[in-house]
Amino acid sequence: MKLQRKNRRALALGALAVSGALALTACGSDDTGGKDDAGGGSSTAASNSSIKCDGAKGQLLADGSSAQKNAIDAWVKEFSRACGVQINYKGGGSGAGVTAFGQGQVAFAGSDSALKPEDVAASKKVCSGGQGIDLPMVGGPIAVGYNVPGVDNLVLDAPTLAKIFDDKIKTWDAPEIKKLNPDAKLPSLKIQAFHRSDESGTTDNFTKYLKAAAPNDWKYSGGKAWQAKGGQAAPQSSGVAQQVKQTNGAVGYFELSYAKDMSTVAIDTGASAPVKATVENATKAIADAQVVGTGSDLSLKLNYATKADGAYPMVLVTYEIACDKGNKADTLPATKAFLRYIASEDGQKILTEKDYAPIPDAIISKVRTTIEGLS
């Protein structure tokens, strides 16, 4: 019996080593900028016994949102340890994920924007008898990080942000910025605004905020591709964050989990006080969202123009995209088991430690029910 237990333990460790190697390979497309041990030291990491593998085996290929990459890395570590399933999530951006899903290249995809009608139409070709659906799984604030020497606390509002990212405000001592920061020592330093070079749900949500809160200053239609003139581009959230860290005068947008070791902007929304990008403040905004999807689809409508005290308006929700029906037989058990785990109480608890916002109970309970019906 002792020998059998040793053999089983050796096999489990071998499976973990393989999945860890795959996770490291996946990270190459979007360096998270966090600790090498994505799930290490987590006091709320799920114990193996809380994860229901239910016949999950083999490996899963997935792609999509780089916004949730830090969360996916932590989830994969726990799930792979429990079930021995190898998950390779590339994190190449929401646009890449939706395209890969529509072409049947991945078991599931991540996107910071809900599927468009044309995306749903494409999914019907790979979801036999069904279609792709949006499952809200990860929430969080889109932080605006900046690198301005001597300025530790910066307040901006939507019109000023719109002008900065549309190349209308060019230096940090501009009158519009001074008015919002009367006590700050703002240098006459050129603004270096960075945006995403790839199609990104983060860009989509960032510009939705500008459209909603500063309609007179942001005239672009929006979408995953950056449309404004000027500025500089970098790939994935990690690329934008890295450019901001190393460039004097830089400013850029990315998820809070990428804003380590840098200053972030507080947003003047018209509330009683400027609002910082925190998990708690993002949750307040997400809780005000409405489910607007039909059938099994659970896409949300966010209130980007909120003026509620303590509600950070610049938020996004990342959806996991899967077939409601017609999932491939060889990947369905693992897909379902992984989605079940990340939507579980244990899975959602990990989000807070990684600077993401858990999905509010009223919404995540619907997600759990929908996952059980995947076929």
Side-chain angles (χ1 to χ4, degrees), residues 292-310:
V292 294
T294 58
S296 299
D297 187 90
L298 297 174
S299 56
L300 304 175
K301 182 179 181 181
L302 298 168
N303 181 10
Y304 297 99
T306 181
K307 296 182 180 180
D309 284 346

Side-chain angles (χ1 to χ4, degrees), residues 192-232:
Q192 307 277 359
F194 285 89
H195 57 264
R196 291 281 289 270
S197 60
D198 53 322
E199 288 199 358
S200 161
T202 311
T203 293
D204 191 14
N205 285 276
F206 178 62
T207 55
K208 280 179 178 175
Y209 162 72
L210 295 178
K211 284 179 62 181
N216 293 327
D217 297 291
W218 194 260
K219 300 295 186 179
Y220 303 97
S221 60
K224 292 187 180 76
W226 185 258
Q227 297 173 323
K229 309 300 181 184
Q232 301 178 63

Side-chain angles (χ1 to χ4, degrees), residues 1-352:
M1 293 297 292
K2 290 183 178 180
L3 181 58
Q4 290 177 342
R5 283 196 296 269
K6 287 182 178 179
N7 287 340
R8 286 197 297 268
R9 185 181 180 189
L11 288 171
L13 290 172
L16 177 58
V18 172
S19 64
L22 279 168
L24 289 172
T25 301
C27 289
S29 65
D30 189 14
D31 181 7
T32 62
K35 297 179 180 179
D36 292 339
D37 184 3
S42 172
S43 62
T44 57
S47 64
N48 290 353
S49 61
S50 71
I51 300 176
K52 298 179 180 179
C53 301
D54 285 352
K57 60 183 179 180
Q59 69 173 10
L60 291 180
L61 299 180
D63 195 2
S65 166
S66 65
Q68 68 170 355
K69 186 67 167 61
N70 292 334
I72 288 286
D73 284 350
W75 281 332
V76 165
K77 181 173 183 177
E78 295 300 322
F79 185 76
S80 296
R81 176 183 295 159
C83 301
V85 175
Q86 303 165 11
I87 300 178
N88 188 342
Y89 182 83
K90 291 178 63 178
S94 296
V98 172
T99 297
F101 183 79
Q103 295 176 348
Q105 298 173 355
V106 293
F108 70 91
S111 176
D112 309 319
S113 301
L115 292 169
K116 295 180 179 180
E118 57 266 32
D119 300 325
V120 175
S123 73
K124 292 181 179 179
K125 299 176 182 178
V126 296
C127 301
S128 180
Q131 65 180 50
I133 56 172
D134 300 289
L135 301 172
M137 201 70 74
V138 181
I142 300 173
V144 177
Y146 66 95
N147 183 350
V148 182
V151 180
D152 297 324
N153 297 294
L154 184 69
V155 175
L156 297 174
D157 58 14
T160 306
L161 273 172
K163 292 173 186 175
I164 286 173
F165 280 91
D166 197 23
D167 204 29
K168 300 289 177 58
I169 295 178
K170 298 181 181 294
T171 61
W172 284 108
D173 62 349
E176 297 93 333
I177 302 177
K178 282 186 174 181
K179 184 177 180 180
L180 291 165
N181 301 272
D183 299 325
K185 295 182 180 179
L186 297 165
S188 181
L189 178 66
K190 182 181 178 181
I191 294 175
Q192 307 277 359
F194 285 89
H195 57 264
R196 291 281 289 270
S197 60
D198 53 322
E199 288 199 358
S200 161
T202 311
T203 293
D204 191 14
N205 285 276
F206 178 62
T207 55
K208 280 179 178 175
Y209 162 72
L210 295 178
K211 284 179 62 181
N216 293 327
D217 297 291
W218 194 260
K219 300 295 186 179
Y220 303 97
S221 60
K224 292 187 180 76
W226 185 258
Q227 297 173 323
K229 309 300 181 184
Q232 301 178 63
Q236 281 90 47
S237 294
S238 60
V240 176
Q242 184 60 36
Q243 289 298 326
V244 172
K245 285 182 180 180
Q246 66 188 25
T247 307
N248 275 352
V251 62
Y253 59 91
F254 31 77
E255 298 67 43
L256 183 61
S257 63
Y258 292 91
K260 303 293 186 185
D261 304 320
M262 74 171 75
S263 298
T264 59
V265 169
I267 304 297
D268 183 347
T269 64
S272 60
V275 187
K276 291 289 287 184
T278 68
V279 168
E280 294 77 16
N281 293 344
T283 298
K284 290 179 182 178
I286 296 170
D288 195 33
Q290 296 178 323
V291 176
V292 294
T294 58
S296 299
D297 187 90
L298 297 174
S299 56
L300 304 175
K301 182 179 181 181
L302 298 168
N303 181 10
Y304 297 99
T306 181
K307 296 182 180 180
D309 284 346
Y312 186 79
M314 205 182 311
V315 295
L316 60 74
V317 169
T318 299
Y319 302 95
E320 309 312 328
I321 297 168
C323 297
D324 57 354
K325 299 177 183 178
N327 287 277
K328 295 179 180 178
D330 58 339
T331 59
L332 175 60
T335 299
K336 200 168 179 177
F338 182 67
L339 294 178
R340 179 190 293 119
Y341 160 57
I342 67 178
S344 71
E345 184 176 348
D346 283 328
Q348 289 289 298
K349 280 181 180 178
I350 288 178
L351 292 177
T352 303

